Amino acid sequence: MQAVQRPGYLLSAALAAAVHLLFAVFLVLGLAWQTKPPERVEVELVAALPNSPRVPVAAPPPPMLEPAPEPEPAPPEPKTAPPEPPPPAPVPKPAPPVPKPPPPAAQVRPAPEPPVARPDIAVRERRERERKLQERKAAEVRDKEQQRKAEEAQRKEQVRQRAEAARMAEEERRRQEEARRAEEAKRRADDARRQEESRQAFLAQQRAIDEARRARERVEAEKRAAAQAAATAQKVIDEYTARIRNAIREKVVVPPGIVGNPQAEFEVKLLKNGTVATVRLVRASGSNAYDREVERAIELAQPLPVPDDPELFAQMRDLRLLFRPRD
């Protein structure tokens, strides 16, 4: 299938096989041309001759004897003859020469034997050398194949390591990119949250301001309504007070002899049906007759006109009424 997919594969394989075949032929022919017969080694064995004269060995020289030390001369005596000199020391005689022993049998070289013709030794050695050469070539081929496989494995390992490093770098880049995107998203979320919190705080402040404004408006409206109601109630109370005063004044008979226009002030406490509960003179007019007449008129004018509204009646239950004779 590979040969079909790759047309140049068969041509490359054929060329490689032809080159290897030529190389093997040249190698075999070169080995055949360079094969030489092994050199012969000749060994001479010399035996000891039966009547060989012994060679005398020179004896070692005799040891030299040191001369005896001369005695120290005695101090000269006066008027005595000198002593005679001592005789010379004898010289030793040389030892006789010692004959040299004969050489041992191991050191004797025997006579060389005639060479034996072995025509198959060269062939066996040549075949042995060819076998060793082929083994060495096969070992070199195996070593080269192992080295190629090791280099291929190392190349694949380097490619794998580079791919792994690229993958790890890509993963690190993606991780950093994801971290950056997450940080950016978090920052945008925080900004949006802060903006929303600011907007909510502003809206709450606006609501509080609006609520306070509405509360003030409500209070002011209530005050205005209360003031208006109070004014209306006071108007009604004033009308009923005027009606009560007129009803009492119609019953007052002014005594003669009153000088000027004195004023008498009475405190009147009313009941719900208009009757007078109590009457008390708060400030006299200076005329006892006029003060008694006004008090009698209050009693005669019962029941006094009072409003049906309990709240209005509660406000005018206690009245202070002023009376003058010439009003």
Side-chain angles (χ1 to χ4, degrees):
M1 182 61 100
Q2 293 181 356
V4 174
Q5 293 178 358
R6 299 173 58 185
Y9 179 78
L10 294 177
L11 181 59
S12 300
L15 291 175
V19 170
H20 283 79
L21 182 59
L22 291 175
F23 178 74
V25 170
F26 290 154
L27 182 62
V28 171
L29 293 177
L31 291 176
W33 292 339
Q34 294 181 1
T35 301
K36 296 179 180 181
E39 297 180 356
R40 296 182 180 180
V41 179
E42 296 181 357
V43 179
E44 294 182 359
L45 299 179
V46 179
L49 297 178
N51 297 323
S52 60
R54 294 183 179 181
V55 179
V57 179
M64 298 297 294
L65 297 178
E66 295 182 357
E70 297 180 359
E72 295 182 359
E77 294 180 0
K79 297 181 179 182
T80 56
E84 295 181 359
V91 178
K93 296 179 180 181
V98 179
K100 185 178 180 181
Q107 294 182 358
V108 178
R109 294 169 50 179
E113 297 180 357
V116 180
R118 295 181 180 178
D120 56 343
I121 293 178
V123 177
R124 287 200 301 271
E125 290 180 354
R126 179 175 59 82
R127 291 178 180 177
E128 184 67 19
R129 286 196 297 270
E130 291 178 356
R131 184 183 61 78
K132 291 182 179 181
L133 181 61
Q134 291 177 359
E135 291 180 355
R136 185 167 61 252
K137 293 296 183 180
E140 291 178 357
V141 171
R142 287 195 301 271
D143 294 341
K144 289 181 180 180
E145 183 66 19
Q146 292 178 359
Q147 184 178 2
R148 185 187 64 79
K149 290 181 179 180
E151 291 176 355
E152 183 68 18
Q154 184 178 4
R155 185 184 63 79
K156 290 182 179 179
E157 181 65 19
Q158 291 177 355
V159 171
R160 187 191 65 79
Q161 290 178 358
R162 287 196 294 269
E164 184 68 17
R167 184 184 63 80
M168 294 179 65
E170 182 66 19
E171 290 181 357
E172 181 66 18
R173 186 188 65 79
R174 290 180 180 177
R175 187 183 64 78
Q176 293 179 357
E177 183 68 19
E178 291 177 358
R180 186 187 64 79
R181 290 179 181 177
E183 185 67 21
E184 184 68 19
K186 183 177 179 298
R187 185 182 61 79
R188 289 197 297 268
D190 293 341
D191 294 342
R193 179 177 55 79
R194 285 193 292 270
Q195 292 177 1
E196 182 65 19
E197 289 177 354
S198 300
R199 189 178 69 83
Q200 293 295 333
F202 177 76
L203 293 177
Q205 185 178 5
Q206 289 298 115
R207 286 195 296 269
I209 294 173
D210 295 341
E211 186 66 24
R213 179 179 55 79
R214 286 194 294 269
R216 288 195 303 271
E217 292 177 354
R218 185 167 57 251
V219 170
E220 291 175 358
E222 290 176 356
K223 287 181 179 180
R224 287 193 299 269
Q228 186 176 0
T232 303
Q234 188 64 37
K235 184 178 180 182
V236 174
I237 291 171
D238 292 343
E239 290 178 358
Y240 275 93
T241 301
R243 288 172 63 185
I244 291 172
R245 188 183 296 113
N246 292 332
I248 294 172
R249 187 180 292 116
E250 289 177 357
K251 301 293 182 181
V252 173
V253 178
V254 179
I258 296 178
V259 180
N261 193 18
Q263 176 177 313
E265 183 177 357
F266 286 88
E267 184 180 88
V268 179
K269 188 173 184 179
L270 301 176
L271 298 177
K272 290 182 180 181
N273 56 2
T275 59
V276 178
T278 59
V279 177
R280 185 174 66 88
L281 178 61
V282 177
R283 183 181 297 173
S285 63
S287 175
N288 293 331
Y290 182 72
D291 293 341
R292 286 193 300 271
E293 188 62 26
V294 172
E295 185 175 356
R296 186 187 63 81
I298 292 173
E299 294 291 340
L300 293 176
Q302 299 183 76
L304 297 174
V306 293
D308 295 333
D309 190 353
E311 293 182 359
L312 293 176
F313 176 75
Q315 294 180 13
M316 61 177 301
R317 176 179 296 174
D318 296 327
L319 294 177
R320 283 182 177 244
L321 302 176
L322 301 176
F323 296 98
R324 293 183 182 91
R326 288 180 175 83
D327 286 349

